[in-house]
Amino acid sequence: MPIVLKTVCLLVLSNVFMTFAWYGHLKSLRGKAWYVAVVVSWSIALVEYIFQVPANRIGYDKMSLSQLKMLQEVITLSVFVPFAIFYMGQPLKLDYLWAGLCLLGAVYFIFRY
């Protein structure tokens, strides 16, 4: 599997866990004490790091630090939007499209040679 594809796959997995660690407790642990949410979120974040650290180490062989960061941001938005809509029940907003277009512009400038 090509290095960039490995990096993308690992970052997608990482972002799924990251998104649940950061925001999932707002729905699933709403009635629990904040420290319970912290312990659960940290546990989920540990799994996130199991994917994120190798992804960045692998990706750094082919991409610059700036390219890795931009890739991360694009994947974050790509994971967050479905999470917000389907898991959190948030309405689909045109703002997601505008944010995505802004990120595409950022991707262009970071990845151009």
Side-chain angles (χ1 to χ4, degrees):
M1 181 183 293
I3 286 176
V4 174
L5 184 57
K6 277 185 197 177
T7 302
V8 168
C9 289
L10 288 169
L11 286 175
V12 167
L13 288 170
S14 168
N15 269 272
V16 168
F17 286 99
M18 178 195 77
T19 302
F20 275 94
W22 281 31
Y23 304 109
H25 62 88
L26 298 174
K27 179 178 180 179
S28 61
L29 298 174
R30 190 170 182 93
K32 304 285 185 190
W34 68 267
Y35 51 85
V36 172
V38 167
V39 171
V40 170
S41 292
W42 279 357
S43 300
I44 296 169
L46 174 63
V47 178
E48 173 214 342
Y49 274 82
I50 289 171
F51 294 112
Q52 179 267 331
V53 171
N56 284 331
R57 293 173 68 98
I58 291 167
Y60 194 60
D61 286 341
K62 290 283 185 184
M63 291 179 272
S64 70
L65 183 63
S66 298
Q67 289 172 330
L68 275 171
K69 180 58 180 169
M70 189 53 55
L71 181 61
Q72 168 69 24
E73 294 304 328
V74 169
I75 291 170
T76 296
L77 187 60
S78 300
V79 169
F80 179 77
V81 170
F83 171 84
I85 294 167
F86 297 114
Y87 183 75
M88 296 297 290
Q90 299 292 305
L92 179 61
K93 299 171 99 177
L94 198 53
D95 292 342
Y96 296 146
L97 173 64
W98 303 135
L101 290 174
C102 289
L103 276 176
L104 284 177
V107 166
Y108 169 76
F109 287 111
I110 291 294
F111 281 90
R112 73 183 172 145
Y113 291 101

